[in-house]
């Protein structure tokens, strides 16, 4: 078990949860994301199915800013994982997308109007 600072309760420390908790602490401590604007396992509907996002960071107006898809360290970040996250983001609409398994990290800026993605070296600081 591990204490989740966002849900304010003990949660089972699965390999994916280990990654999720590290991302939460990284965003807060190193990238300046306000703890109150981070939302874990938010529900969404896609193709009449109920899905959950791992982590969504909101901007100051409450709109999605960053969608994070976490995988266990044993799960490689493949094109299929990227497609899953991009599919979720079509519903969420976050301009930033982060995929991580705790060992590999990939971040993109998404421009929905131009229908382009720009690979970023690191997660942008919260502004």
């Amino acid at each position: 078990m591990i204490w989740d600072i966002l849900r304010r309760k003990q949660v089972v420390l699965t390999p994916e949860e280990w990654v999720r908790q590290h991302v939460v602490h990284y965003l807060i401590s190193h990238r300046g994301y306000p703890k109150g604007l981070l939302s874990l396992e938010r529900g969404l509907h896609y193709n009449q199915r109920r899905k959950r996002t791992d982590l969504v960071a909101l901007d100051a107006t409450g709109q999605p800013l960053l969608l994070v898809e976490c995988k266990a360290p044993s799960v490689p970040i493949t094109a299929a994982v990227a497609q899953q996250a991009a599919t979720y983001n079509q519903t969420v609409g976050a301009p930033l997308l982060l995929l991580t398994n705790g060992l590999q990290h990939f971040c993109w800026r998404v421009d929905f109007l131009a229908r382009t993605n720009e690979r970023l070296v690191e997660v942008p600081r919260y502004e």
Side-chain angles (χ1 to χ4, degrees):
M1 302 295 286
I2 188 171
W3 179 255
D4 182 321
I5 64 170
L6 298 182
R7 291 177 273 193
R8 294 189 300 248
K9 67 178 185 177
Q10 294 283 336
V11 296
V12 176
L13 185 58
T14 63
E16 184 175 319
E17 188 63 39
W18 179 87
V19 172
R20 187 170 21 250
Q21 292 300 317
H22 276 80
V23 170
V24 165
H25 288 275
Y26 172 74
L27 291 175
I28 294 168
S29 300
H30 300 283
R31 307 313 295 160
Y33 284 73
K35 182 171 83 169
L37 295 178
L38 297 178
S39 176
L40 287 174
E41 296 190 328
R42 252 172 101 151
L44 64 90
H45 290 282
Y46 185 79
N47 281 345
Q48 302 174 0
R49 299 172 97 180
R50 184 146 170 75
K51 300 288 185 179
R52 288 187 179 268
T53 58
D54 285 317
L55 175 63
V56 176
L58 306 174
D59 66 17
T61 67
Q63 295 301 307
L65 174 64
L66 170 67
L67 172 65
V68 181
E69 178 64 27
C70 298
K71 297 295 182 189
S74 62
V75 178
I77 303 298
T78 63
V81 171
Q83 182 60 45
Q84 174 192 6
T87 299
Y88 287 179
N89 203 30
Q90 288 175 351
T91 301
V92 174
L96 297 170
L97 182 59
L98 172 64
L99 307 179
T100 182
N101 64 6
L103 304 172
Q104 292 181 296
H105 320 283
F106 299 95
C107 188
W108 290 273
R109 183 178 314 279
V110 180
D111 185 330
F112 290 98
L113 294 176
R115 300 174 74 80
T116 60
N117 299 313
E118 172 193 1
R119 176 90 188 272
L120 303 176
V121 175
E122 64 182 1
V123 177
R125 290 194 54 78
Y126 185 86
E127 305 292 347

